[in-house]
Amino acid sequence: MKEENESFILPLLPFIPHPHPVRVLLAFDKFKHALGAAGACAAAAAAIREVFPNAHTDEAPLTDGGEGFCEILTHAAGGHVHKHQVHGPRLAPIEAHWGEVDLARLPKPAIDLLDLPDHGKLAVIEMAQASGLDLLEPEQRDPWHATSFGVGELIGHAAEAHVRAVLLGIGGSATNDLGLGALEAVGLEFRDTSGASMHKITPAKFGDLARFAGEPWPHLPDLRIACDVRNPLLGPNGATAIFAPQKGMPDGDFPRLEKTVGAMAKKLCAHFDQPRTLMMEPGTGAAGGLGFGLRVVCAAKLTPGFELISTWLKLEEHVRTADLVLTGEGAFDSSSLSGKAVGALAELALKHHKKLAIFAGQVDASAAASLRTRAPEGRVQMHALSTDHEPAETSHRATRARLAAKIKAVF
């Protein structure tokens, strides 16, 4: 990725003409492997207060449905977090958590997007907590053998707490199992050709599965899936083609894994009397087809991820009342402008004519240029924190200090 940085540093505050104390919105996403979203916001706030103590800072950590989804949304709604031991993506025991919030505490636009009543409890579950790619060492990553079972265990714990509904954030998954692992954890059963039970299902076992048995628990809450990914389940833009290589799919395995997943998807549709057209529905290719499996078996509903997060966190209100917006993430590139949190926040800032500064570990020049064309000259600044050819470990260790230093420099 090409690094982009300002050739000179423009001070931000001279562009703020207001006589009242400057109000700065700090809305960072995570810097992957280096600094969480909340940590980035806190580091930025400390840096601003050090050089401009009268500034008013609003901290609004961002999430794209992966790391931080549970804690950020739960804490924003005044909820609390439950911790449990579950099975990880390769079945090793791990500790994961889910959040419990009161629906009455959510903004009405968020309730409307979720299509839920404004009473009762909502569970917030982060797939990456139980079945995330980052839970595995590189040599362990292989979608043939990864399961979403732990996600189902978290759903089960939420069901036992009698929540009204479950909201799933499905970023950062290690799986390509159609959500069958999660469904197994909440009651769906599998039989091989001899009628024997199969357990801890993964795509490597799909070929032996002859039929489904049992049903998911009757008391499962309504399921909502926060998702901005538009990929279908199958095809050149599907789950296997686009995401399985990132999850450790062996070279040359695409045709076999695609065929295996497609055959299982057809069996699932036939057994639960659902149309095969669901396989081409936008979003069913997210998280290795988890959304597809939960749609077919549990009538789960997909909801726009960033739109939901934005309304939940009242981001537009924060942007509207800010004089200056600071945001950032590990890498700002073309994907940032395709529905990811930082890009979407940048669009909000431009919509409300705010001065915007983006800090990222790396900044892609073409993505930066694309964003700048949508704003008056000088309104958008881009700052890269790392240098070309720098070892990732070095860059990660230095992220917090470099972010603080760069922010102090531009103020």
Side-chain angles (χ1 to χ4, degrees), residues 178-179 183 225 233 261 264-266 268-269 275-281 283-286 288-298 302:
L178 301 175
L183 291 164
I225 300 172
L233 181 65
V261 167
M264 183 55 64
K266 292 171 186 175
L268 202 63
C269 287
R276 290 185 179 183
T277 52
L278 285 177
M279 291 186 279
M280 299 311 297
E281 185 177 277
T284 54
L290 178 82
F292 170 80
L294 296 183
R295 290 271 290 118
V296 169
V297 180
C298 302
L302 301 178

Side-chain angles (χ1 to χ4, degrees), residues 39-255:
C41 290
I48 290 172
R49 286 193 296 268
E50 187 174 331
V51 296
F52 201 74
N54 292 328
H56 179 91
T57 55
D58 291 328
E59 296 178 38
L62 299 179
T63 174
D64 59 3
E67 181 186 339
F69 181 82
C70 171
E71 290 190 305
I72 288 171
L73 295 190
T74 300
H75 291 159
H80 59 277
V81 170
H82 302 273
K83 295 183 179 180
H84 298 278
Q85 187 175 87
V86 299
H87 291 84
R90 295 296 294 263
L91 298 175
I94 60 169
E95 185 180 82
H97 56 252
W98 63 276
E100 182 178 352
V101 303
D102 190 333
L103 282 161
R105 296 287 301 272
L106 300 186
K108 188 179 184 302
I111 293 289
D112 292 342
L113 280 171
L114 290 168
D115 190 22
L116 290 171
D118 61 358
H119 59 273
K121 299 292 185 179
L122 175 70
V124 182
I125 293 177
E126 178 184 314
M127 185 179 187
Q129 279 280 313
S131 302
L133 188 63
D134 285 347
L135 297 173
L136 299 175
E137 296 297 330
E139 63 273 13
Q140 294 178 300
R141 298 173 182 178
D142 185 344
W144 284 104
H145 300 285
T147 176
S148 57
F149 192 87
V151 176
E153 290 178 297
L154 290 177
I155 294 173
H157 286 301
E160 290 167 355
H162 306 293
V163 300
R164 173 69 179 78
V166 169
L167 171 64
L168 280 168
I170 58 175
S173 73
T175 58
N176 204 68
D177 72 343
L178 301 175
L180 292 191
L183 291 164
E184 180 184 358
V186 295
L188 189 61
E189 299 175 9
F190 313 108
R191 301 284 187 268
D192 65 17
T193 53
S194 70
S197 295
M198 299 176 64
H199 301 287
K200 303 299 189 292
I201 195 77
T202 64
K205 300 178 181 179
F206 281 6
D208 298 325
L209 192 154
R211 62 184 178 88
F212 303 99
E215 296 286 342
W217 300 347
H219 61 286
L220 279 182
D222 291 342
L223 298 178
R224 302 290 186 265
I225 300 172
C227 178
D228 287 316
V229 168
R230 305 296 292 164
N231 304 72
L233 181 65
L234 302 173
N237 292 311
T240 306
I242 301 300
F243 302 112
Q246 305 166 16
K247 301 175 183 183
M249 180 179 68
D251 292 343
D253 271 18
F254 166 70

